[in-house]
Amino acid sequence: MPRGKYVVIEGLDGTGKTTQLTKMQEYFGAKNTLAVREPGGTPMAEQIRSVLKDKKLPRSAKTNMFLFSAARADLLDNSIRPALVSGKNVVCDRNWLSTIAYQAAEGANVSDILTLSKIAAGDLFEPDLIILIDLDPAI
């Protein structure tokens, strides 16, 4: 069975990433496609997401970098990679590019983010296609 395609959709909040993810899932066929988001997509990654979303928990940019990478590793290992091997296409809302954008803006070192992201993603560091939605969210 041929490996499925791994597509990542990136862009600012409010630019339509989720809408496009849904349209791609319809295009590829719902039962032939796994649609996921980062962080999230597995029970462990969703728990990490809840920590990341909790504004009452102060933490450094480095801590966020590790949390995002841990969630990514879990999603890739337990959801994305098995789906691709089974021939399913995977469409993902965000990946390590967002970690660079957000955590570097918080003060994390870009080189450290790249190194950790490569460790977390392994052979899936480079998706088959990255779609960047460059749009003013007001539109």
Side-chain angles (χ1 to χ4, degrees):
M1 176 174 291
R3 178 188 171 275
K5 299 295 181 195
Y6 177 34
V7 178
V8 170
I9 302 174
E10 282 284 357
L12 295 174
D13 291 340
T15 57
K17 292 182 308 300
T18 303
T19 298
Q20 295 309 312
L21 182 135
T22 302
K23 289 187 179 294
M24 289 187 77
Q25 189 175 26
E26 290 169 5
Y27 174 80
F28 286 131
K31 65 181 173 181
N32 297 323
T33 308
L34 172 67
V36 293
R37 66 179 179 182
E38 278 201 24
T42 65
M44 174 64 76
E46 289 295 333
Q47 287 293 317
I48 295 169
R49 180 184 182 89
S50 69
V51 169
L52 286 161
K53 293 287 186 181
D54 189 344
K55 303 296 184 200
K56 295 177 187 171
L57 295 173
R59 58 197 171 266
S60 69
K62 187 186 292 186
T63 299
N64 281 341
M65 175 185 72
F66 280 108
L67 287 169
F68 277 105
S69 294
R72 178 170 302 118
D74 192 70
L75 175 63
L76 286 162
D77 290 346
N78 295 307
S79 190
I80 293 175
R81 192 171 282 107
L84 292 171
V85 168
S86 76
K88 284 188 174 187
N89 296 305
V90 176
V91 183
C92 187
D93 182 343
R94 299 199 184 274
N95 78 347
W96 58 266
L97 294 164
S98 287
T99 305
I100 288 177
Y102 286 94
Q103 276 55 69
E106 292 178 348
N109 180 286
V110 172
S111 179
D112 290 346
I113 296 168
L114 279 171
T115 299
L116 195 54
S117 295
K118 286 178 181 178
I119 292 168
D123 63 326
L124 294 176
F125 180 73
E126 294 183 25
D128 296 304
L129 177 65
I130 298 172
I131 299 169
L132 173 62
I133 301 175
D134 184 14
L135 180 69
D136 182 341
I139 294 173

